[in-house]
Amino acid sequence: MRSLLNLLLSAATLAALLPHASGAPVEDTPTAAPTGESSGEEVEVLPSDLLSASPVWHAVLGVTKLHKKEFEEEFENVVKYNFLENYKVFSVPERCPHSNFSKEACLHRMAHGLLVYTVLLKHVEKEYPGSLICSLAKYYSGLLINLCKEKMRNPDQVAALTDRQEAQLLRGLNLPSAFQRKMAAHSVLRQLHYFLLDGRRAIAKRERRNGSVGSFQIL
């Protein structure tokens, strides 16, 4: 548990530094810090002016990746992490496909999808008040929304959800039992991780089409 806390505190320190490095506005900075997961993923190192090369991706994926360890500590000898497959949240946004989708459309889906996840994270906050992972995931998602919109030709097309839409999303997570509501909260964090992972890959692929070639490193 101590190692998890140390990692989160390190992420919180990075959260305080990132806005100044990326030029993004500081909003609501926290005061404290599916099958197929891999701890040694090979990723492409791209030029720093590309969205897929932003350090925000590394930060947010580092935070959401810690969720698996947190879940396993909470439910040790009760359920396995892959049990969350039974609690998929079907109101989560679709991921950006790897083909037949323009860069603009992919950026729009990424930005809008993160707005939806920002709402879904309210359920996580309700079930786990003070969760550092949730707070940081929400914070970094806000930075990524801004970065995506900066790269879009028509950022105004990304609209915040209405109060009615937010209420509808949250009602879908208000399940009968406390255990089910907790599983839904964990499922949101798990699905957010893969939404971000696939989104970065899809954006990097489209940025490569513009002629930028990078090297590779192991995360």
Side-chain angles (χ1 to χ4, degrees):
M1 187 67 183
R2 182 178 297 274
S3 61
L4 177 60
L5 180 59
N6 289 339
L7 286 168
L8 285 169
L9 290 174
S10 297
T13 302
L14 182 58
L17 298 175
L18 270 175
H20 304 289
S22 65
V26 180
E27 295 180 3
D28 300 325
T29 307
T31 54
T35 308
E37 296 95 355
S38 172
S39 60
E41 183 189 358
E42 186 182 66
V43 297
E44 188 171 5
V45 181
L46 296 168
S48 60
D49 61 325
L50 300 182
L51 174 58
S52 57
S54 169
V56 179
W57 288 105
H58 184 74
V60 69
L61 286 169
V63 169
T64 55
K65 191 174 182 178
L66 290 173
H67 166 250
K68 183 175 186 288
K69 181 176 177 63
E70 185 180 67
F71 178 89
E72 290 173 341
E73 288 181 351
E74 179 180 357
F75 294 100
E76 186 178 7
N77 300 323
V78 180
V79 293
K80 300 292 185 181
Y81 190 63
N82 59 10
F83 180 76
L84 291 176
E85 286 287 341
N86 300 316
Y87 283 90
K88 282 186 175 178
V89 178
F90 294 103
S91 56
V92 299
E94 293 184 39
R95 302 175 191 176
C96 185
H98 289 276
S99 61
N100 301 323
F101 227 55
S102 69
K103 180 182 174 182
E104 180 76 6
C106 189
L107 290 171
H108 183 282
R109 178 166 290 188
M110 197 73 210
H112 175 75
L114 287 171
L115 285 172
V116 173
Y117 270 109
T118 299
V119 174
L120 295 174
L121 286 172
K122 292 181 180 181
H123 175 75
V124 181
E125 290 175 326
K126 181 179 178 182
E127 293 300 315
Y128 293 94
S131 167
L132 293 176
I133 288 179
C134 181
S135 296
L136 288 168
K138 187 174 181 180
Y139 172 69
Y140 288 131
S141 293
L143 293 184
L144 272 179
I145 290 169
N146 289 335
L147 291 174
C148 286
K149 291 173 74 173
E150 287 174 7
K151 297 291 185 179
M152 291 177 64
R153 293 191 300 271
N154 300 296
D156 293 341
Q157 292 182 1
V158 180
L161 276 67
T162 65
D163 291 343
R164 182 176 180 180
Q165 289 172 322
E166 287 196 15
Q168 184 177 1
L169 282 173
L170 294 174
R171 275 198 304 271
L173 300 178
N174 190 23
L175 300 172
S177 72
F179 179 79
Q180 290 175 316
R181 291 191 295 273
K182 286 183 180 296
M183 290 298 105
H186 284 291
S187 183
V188 167
L189 288 171
R190 181 175 184 266
Q191 289 177 263
L192 172 59
H193 177 72
Y194 290 102
F195 178 80
L196 290 163
L197 193 62
D198 284 357
R200 183 181 184 275
R201 288 170 177 163
I203 291 172
K205 180 178 180 179
R206 284 153 180 81
E207 289 179 327
R208 284 198 301 270
R209 289 175 184 169
N210 294 332
S212 298
V213 178
S215 58
F216 287 85
Q217 69 177 13
I218 303 298
L219 287 183

